[in-house]
Amino acid sequence: MKRGFTISPPVAVVVLAISFIYFSTVFIFIDRWFGLITSPGIMNAVVFTAVALMCITSYALAILTDPGRVPSTYMPDIEDSENPIHEIKRKGGDLRYCQKCSQYKPPRAHHCRVCKRCILRMDHHCIWINNCVGHENYKVFFMFVVYAVVACIYSLVLLIGSLTIDPPSDEQEVGGPFRTIYIVAGLLLLPLSMALNVLLGWHIYLILHNKTTIEYHEGVRAMWLAEKGGNVYSHPYDLGAFENLTTILGPNILSWICPMSRHNGSGLRFRTAYDKSISASI
């Protein structure tokens, strides 16, 4: 499902950063190191352009894809034997009900104060895509981060490599603009690469454990309470590393690199470790 698009200042900053990194990498770093009319130059320009296109496509889909709406007709079926988990309120033990939306919340859904509605399998609200990251767009958001990391590291390598080449005499005469571009690119790429690598590592951890950012923080508290009561806490949606990967990225490994999420399901019910243990016993 697509949503309306409005350009917010953070989105404009990301678009400008992507454009600057792309044009400086292709038309300055690659051109100075290899030359754009040489075979290595053409090859690097084509590969970097392909990575940039995948990055831009993933970013656009993360912005435009609705993260997941709770159907207005949704009602939890507590008598459903195939759904052993019904999330309840921390206090009172009632089924989770959103007072602001005036409807029940499915498992893993949370109300977003920015979007002013409940989001299916909500991870967080991201200002850089002016959208929530939820059930329908989590994979494309993750792929955007992956391709952004690859693009930043690739651009940084090309930047450093191009500095090892002695510039021609005619290029030395206009060294001021080139020097400014190199300084700006370096100041942009170094912290951006580090921040994106941390973000990528965090979401790889979440995917391997089939958690959202919200569930991680809730799980820390639940683990503390369980240990205090002499019990052991385990995340109910953790199916094992490989199954967790296929749940998020898709059952076909070849489709993992594609920014699409056709395997998602409704987002109203998710497989649990309880389901897995029942299947194994049968």
Side-chain angles (χ1 to χ4, degrees):
M1 182 187 295
K2 301 299 180 183
R3 60 189 286 271
F5 174 61
T6 54
I7 297 180
S8 64
V11 170
V13 168
V14 173
V15 172
L16 288 173
I18 291 174
S19 302
F20 174 78
I21 291 171
Y22 175 77
F23 285 105
S24 60
T25 300
V26 173
F27 297 105
I28 296 179
F29 307 154
I30 293 177
D31 190 33
R32 287 192 68 189
W33 192 359
F34 303 105
L36 281 176
I37 59 174
T38 65
S39 295
I42 293 172
M43 181 191 70
N44 278 281
V46 169
V47 172
F48 188 80
T49 299
V51 173
L53 284 174
M54 294 299 287
C55 182
I56 293 168
T57 301
S58 302
Y59 184 62
L61 288 172
I63 293 173
L64 297 173
T65 303
D66 191 288
R69 294 177 178 269
V70 179
S72 58
T73 57
Y74 173 76
M75 282 289 293
D77 185 1
I78 59 175
E79 296 182 357
D80 182 7
S81 60
E82 295 183 357
N83 189 9
I85 290 183
H86 294 280
E87 294 180 356
I88 59 175
K89 296 179 181 179
R90 290 180 182 175
K91 296 179 180 179
D94 299 326
L95 291 172
R96 296 167 70 237
Y97 185 84
C98 181
Q99 298 292 342
K100 295 177 181 177
C101 295
S102 299
Q103 67 178 131
Y104 286 101
K105 290 189 286 188
R108 314 184 83 176
H110 295 272
H111 187 87
C112 175
R113 289 176 292 180
V114 180
C115 297
K116 294 181 172 57
R117 61 186 176 91
C118 287
I119 305 296
L120 295 176
R121 196 188 179 275
M122 180 178 173
D123 187 88
H124 69 288
H125 184 90
C126 179
I127 63 169
W128 301 108
I129 64 172
N130 194 29
N131 194 9
C132 266
V133 177
H135 177 66
E136 295 293 338
N137 66 346
Y138 182 82
K139 182 190 173 182
V140 292
F141 171 80
F142 176 73
M143 295 314 302
F144 163 65
V145 176
V146 170
Y147 286 115
V149 167
V150 173
C152 285
I153 294 175
Y154 196 175
S155 179
L156 202 54
V157 170
L158 291 169
L159 183 155
I160 295 170
S162 65
L163 288 174
T164 63
I165 305 299
D166 293 328
S169 57
D170 59 338
E171 198 173 287
Q172 290 177 352
E173 297 175 2
V174 290
F178 280 104
R179 191 177 298 111
T180 302
I181 291 174
Y182 271 91
I183 292 172
V184 173
L187 291 175
L188 179 62
L189 285 169
L190 279 171
L192 192 58
S193 297
M194 290 188 288
L196 286 172
N197 271 287
V198 171
L199 182 63
L200 177 62
W202 170 245
H203 281 283
I204 288 174
Y205 166 83
L206 291 178
I207 289 175
L208 289 175
H209 293 83
N210 201 357
K211 293 181 180 180
T212 65
T213 300
I214 294 174
E215 288 170 350
Y216 170 80
H217 292 293
E218 289 180 343
V220 170
R221 184 176 184 277
M223 187 181 299
W224 177 78
L225 290 173
E227 290 178 352
K228 189 176 179 181
N231 301 314
V232 177
Y233 171 79
S234 60
H235 184 56
Y237 301 103
D238 189 353
L239 306 174
F242 183 75
E243 286 198 49
N244 292 339
L245 278 170
T246 57
T247 298
I248 302 299
L249 302 181
N252 187 351
I253 296 179
L254 297 177
S255 69
W256 287 7
I257 62 173
C258 299
M260 59 179 65
S261 307
R262 297 176 180 173
H263 62 283
N264 275 345
S266 66
L268 301 176
R269 186 187 186 281
F270 298 90
R271 283 191 65 206
T272 66
Y274 181 85
D275 298 328
K276 190 176 179 182
S277 63
I278 292 294
S279 300
S281 63
I282 292 175

